[in-house]
Amino acid sequence: MGSILRIAALLCLALPISAVPFDQQIITRPNDGSQRIKNIMTPEASHGGLYLCSGAGFVGHCEYYRTAFGSCITITDQFPTGQGGVNGVNAAGADRGSWCTLYANSNCQGSELQVHYPGYDDLRKVQWRAKARSYNCAAE
């Protein structure tokens, strides 16, 4: 009976990871927003990761994006300025092995800010508080 429980427990752990296609955008939210989420999947050479939070210090409403290099992602739905307690993007960090460009407008248009690992814990330091509306990533 004990071995059946161990097998069932292992299957429960394996199912959530294997159920998500590797090239799909993966968004996760930390429980308290106080720590950055690390990739649990092995990074693929054609994808980059970007961690964004509404609060300086990587707190508040946070999202982790994993996207194909060169794909433009508009984030205004996840980070609306001044709505529902979310006040735009105020902290940003790219995964090791990739860098991302934040854009001031949707569709990867407008002024730009490049984000390399470990990123910016407070975008006010570089005059980019709540400016990000879209992004794309590339390999280092």
Side-chain angles (χ1 to χ4, degrees):
M1 185 69 171
S3 64
I4 292 173
L5 291 175
R6 280 190 291 256
I7 291 171
L10 289 173
L11 286 174
C12 288
L13 292 173
L15 286 176
I17 293 172
S18 63
V20 178
F22 196 74
D23 62 348
Q24 181 179 337
Q25 182 182 55
I26 300 169
I27 301 174
T28 55
R29 295 183 177 110
N31 291 335
D32 63 3
S34 63
Q35 296 180 3
R36 293 187 62 171
I37 295 175
K38 295 183 181 181
N39 280 335
I40 34 178
M41 301 168 106
T42 305
E44 187 176 291
S46 62
H47 288 77
L50 181 64
Y51 189 65
L52 303 174
C53 291
S54 63
F58 293 101
V59 297
H61 173 80
C62 296
E63 301 277 349
Y64 177 76
Y65 299 90
R66 188 169 186 291
T67 55
F69 289 147
S71 295
C72 179
I73 305 297
T74 297
I75 57 171
T76 53
D77 288 343
Q78 295 85 15
F79 290 94
T81 303
Q83 295 178 3
V86 177
N87 194 21
V89 175
N90 290 292
D95 284 352
R96 287 185 185 188
S98 65
W99 59 277
C100 300
T101 303
L102 299 178
Y103 294 89
N105 299 325
S106 299
N107 302 315
C108 296
Q109 301 290 316
S111 58
E112 306 173 3
L113 175 69
Q114 291 185 357
V115 179
H116 296 265
Y117 179 85
Y120 299 98
D121 65 341
D122 188 348
L123 288 172
R124 291 179 294 190
K125 295 175 184 176
V126 290
Q127 289 75 45
W128 257 78
R129 181 184 180 277
K131 285 187 181 181
R133 302 291 182 267
S134 59
Y135 79 90
N136 64 20
C137 296
E140 284 279 15

